[in-house]
Amino acid sequence: MTDRLHRDHLPTSVDTPVTPESVGIVHLGIGAFHRAHQAVYTEQAARATGDRRWGILGVTQRSASVRDQLRPQGGVYSVLTAGARDSSVDLVGAVLDVAWPADETERVLATIAAPTTHLVTLTVTEKGYCRTGSGELDLDRVRPDLDALAAEQGTGAPGETVAAGSAIGLLVRGLAARYRAACEAGEALPLTVLTCDNMVDNGHVLEGLVRSALDAALPQDTALRAWLDAHVTFPCSMVDRIVPATTPEQRDAVEGELGVRDEGLVVGEPFSQWVIEDRFAGPRPAWEQAGATLTDDVSVWERAKLRLLNGTHSLLAYAGRLAGHVTMAEAVEDPAIRARARRLLFDDALPTLTPPDGADLDAYGESLLERFANPATGHTTLQVSMDGTQKIPYRWGDTIAERLAAGELPRGAAYALACWSEVVRREAVAGRAVDDPRGDELQRVVATVGGGSAEVASPTDVARALTALPGLLPQGAGMDPALLDAVAAEVAELAGVPAAG
């Protein structure tokens, strides 16, 4: 049997990973993306500078699987960088251990409070922020953590620690624990909380949710809020790397190359980008030494990624599903779909953007289509097309609103909306759940258009109703007659029905 990869049993065929001296970062949501992105930057920064203060305690949110993969390996794992033609393997040692809150909430809280910890970072996906449809904190989802927070703050967390039930709840409880530690030590203990999830103004969003949680759990605790104001920052960031699920074949191939079995293997495309608002409360890794961009304004980078990369990715996913393509690579190689993607990229989205300093957005747009065509990424159209109502407002919505305001009809975006509408309608007709936070509502819209039956609902009428869905498109764009006509015409072609309606 092949030996298992371990920090004390490393192959000689690759560079030796770093061994951090202590935990400096607590990361909430240590899935494949973090391990192939931020942890790699942290590893490379440590190699470049020799600064070994930045070990990561990863916190897995949904199950103990990542803990069970990495703990027996001493936290070390491999990253397979898979291009269309070439691939390479590297080891990452920045992760010291992984904790699962169901068993180890007390340890996570203590580590967030420790003076050697300077950052809490997050990749918990949009769903993990426990927001309502209007973007506010969903108090029902975090109530157990808020009750635990009130008890811990009032009595110093005596007795058995309540297991955290949400990332937001765990974070807020960790901040309160750090505040208590600061009071006991007579020190400020500043902390940077850095979200790396794909949300507009993600740092500001997270800070607002944290403050809402404190208002609900500890309405009278002004001292904790004063400490938060003075010593905690929530920078915005933008991340970009395609990280597909690891396949058994890739795991076997890396085992053959390394000579050891790595249960924690992750896979990423060659491209990687990280833009971070330079607003830290205390020390940080020298991530710029690993290629990260530190800036005063993330928003210009964020808008470009959301509208060009994410917007095109979603169009390809919906159009690809309708055309019967399983993978994103298949979808982008379809000439008809690729032409529509180019229209969204270059005719609709690009004119709404101001290029960040040093960025060539035309070249970036061309590179996106090549990245999506990389079969090694393995992304499926089904996977990318989930959660449409959460993604469309940011990926297509602002592009549509700004082009309409400029007197231009965004035809690429109209096609994208038509593809989304037709996917929703077909799922409803088939009696399948729509994989979306508003899935039940979407199915009701389809059924209502059909007079109570999705099966007889007119595709063009469904498209008009879904495009006008409250909260989907900003600035009243969903009610624009020209846009509705354009979406209906595209749906008529997709569904093979008359365009009138």
Side-chain angles (χ1 to χ4, degrees):
M1 178 180 291
T2 306
D3 291 335
R4 186 165 178 176
L5 177 66
H6 191 273
R7 195 177 293 274
D8 298 327
H9 180 69
L10 298 171
T12 58
S13 57
V14 289
D15 291 339
T16 301
V18 299
T19 300
E21 297 171 347
S22 60
V23 172
I25 303 169
V26 174
H27 182 79
L28 308 185
I30 185 167
F33 183 80
H34 170 74
R35 285 179 281 152
H37 191 274
Q38 297 100 47
V40 172
Y41 281 87
T42 304
E43 172 84 14
Q44 292 174 348
R47 292 185 188 184
T49 64
D51 186 351
R52 297 192 293 139
R53 293 176 293 167
W54 303 108
I56 299 168
L57 173 64
V59 181
T60 181
Q61 293 301 125
R62 285 173 280 193
S63 74
S65 61
V66 179
R67 181 195 64 180
D68 296 343
Q69 289 171 348
L70 293 189
R71 184 170 287 176
Q73 300 182 178
V76 71
Y77 62 94
S78 55
V79 178
L80 171 63
T81 299
R85 289 170 293 277
D86 301 310
S87 63
S88 61
V89 178
D90 196 14
L91 296 183
V92 173
V95 177
L96 282 175
D97 198 8
V98 178
W100 186 32
D103 296 337
E104 300 167 276
T105 289
E106 185 172 3
R107 178 191 178 193
V108 175
L109 296 178
T111 307
I112 293 175
T116 51
T117 299
H118 299 289
L119 295 106
V120 175
T121 56
L122 300 89
T123 49
V124 297
T125 76
E126 295 100 324
K127 292 180 182 178
Y129 288 82
C130 299
R131 293 191 293 170
T132 65
S134 61
E136 299 172 348
L137 182 65
D138 188 337
L139 293 175
D140 290 338
R141 292 176 62 189
V142 299
R143 179 57 61 188
D145 282 311
L146 299 187
D147 292 342
L149 169 62
E152 290 160 356
Q153 191 69 357
T155 58
E160 184 175 353
T161 301
V162 175
S166 66
I168 293 297
L170 182 59
L171 171 61
V172 175
R173 291 168 66 185
L175 288 169
R178 191 171 183 90
Y179 166 67
R180 292 194 299 270
C183 292
E184 292 170 4
E187 300 178 18
L189 295 186
L191 187 72
T192 300
V193 182
L194 177 61
T195 169
C196 302
D197 281 298
N198 284 318
M199 300 186 298
V200 175
D201 294 329
N202 54 10
H204 301 139
V205 168
L206 178 57
E207 182 175 4
L209 295 173
V210 166
R211 292 184 180 278
S212 294
L214 291 177
D215 289 343
L218 303 167
Q220 306 303 320
D221 197 334
T222 57
L224 172 56
R225 285 170 180 73
W227 174 80
L228 193 79
D229 293 342
H231 302 298
V232 180
T233 60
F234 296 82
C236 294
S237 74
M238 187 275 281
V239 297
D240 187 4
R241 191 180 195 187
I242 297 174
V243 179
T246 304
T247 67
E249 292 77 16
Q250 289 168 327
R251 206 179 301 279
D252 291 342
V254 170
E255 179 179 353
E257 181 171 343
L258 297 181
V260 291
R261 185 72 174 177
D262 178 14
E263 297 297 339
L265 171 70
V266 293
V267 182
E269 65 165 333
F271 181 89
S272 184
Q273 184 180 34
W274 194 8
V275 181
I276 312 167
E277 182 184 7
D278 194 0
R279 187 166 60 91
F280 292 84
R284 62 167 177 83
W287 283 316
E288 68 276 16
Q289 295 291 325
T293 299
L294 278 294
T295 180
D296 292 333
D297 185 7
V298 173
S299 64
V300 290
W301 297 88
E302 180 181 72
R303 282 194 294 273
K305 176 176 180 280
L306 282 169
R307 299 184 192 185
L308 298 178
L309 184 148
N310 297 124
T312 306
H313 214 214
S314 288
L315 178 151
L316 291 168
Y318 293 115
R321 279 184 67 177
L322 294 176
H325 299 307
V326 174
T327 69
M328 297 296 291
E330 292 171 358
V332 77
E333 293 291 5
D334 183 317
I337 296 176
R338 190 183 185 99
R340 300 296 195 129
R342 293 186 64 86
R343 175 174 282 184
L344 175 66
L345 263 173
F346 297 107
D347 296 346
D348 295 348
L350 198 60
T352 70
L353 296 168
T354 300
D357 289 343
D360 183 340
L361 293 186
D362 286 281
Y364 177 66
E366 294 290 354
S367 73
L368 291 177
L369 298 175
E370 299 311 309
R371 288 171 60 193
F372 296 154
N374 179 2
T377 60
H379 270 175
T380 67
T381 54
L382 179 63
Q383 174 189 15
V384 177
S385 61
M386 296 175 180
D387 304 331
T389 60
Q390 283 196 327
K391 298 173 180 177
I392 288 171
Y394 307 111
R395 298 184 177 195
W396 303 337
D398 290 328
T399 292
I400 291 169
E402 291 184 28
R403 293 304 283 160
L404 290 174
E408 299 289 340
L409 182 61
R411 296 190 178 279
Y415 170 78
L417 283 168
C419 291
W420 167 71
S421 170
E422 189 59 6
V423 165
V424 170
R425 186 189 69 83
R426 294 184 189 185
E427 291 296 282
V429 168
R432 292 187 292 263
V434 179
D435 199 335
D436 188 289
R438 299 173 69 177
D440 292 344
E441 180 184 0
L442 298 177
Q443 288 185 316
R444 287 195 298 271
V445 169
V446 177
T448 299
V449 170
S453 173
E455 288 80 359
V456 299
S458 160
T460 56
D461 288 347
V462 167
R464 291 175 182 275
L466 290 177
T467 299
L469 192 72
L472 187 72
L473 300 180
Q475 303 174 35
M479 301 299 293
D480 185 272
L483 178 67
L484 290 171
D485 287 345
V487 174
E490 296 286 3
V491 164
E493 183 173 342
L494 290 167
V497 298

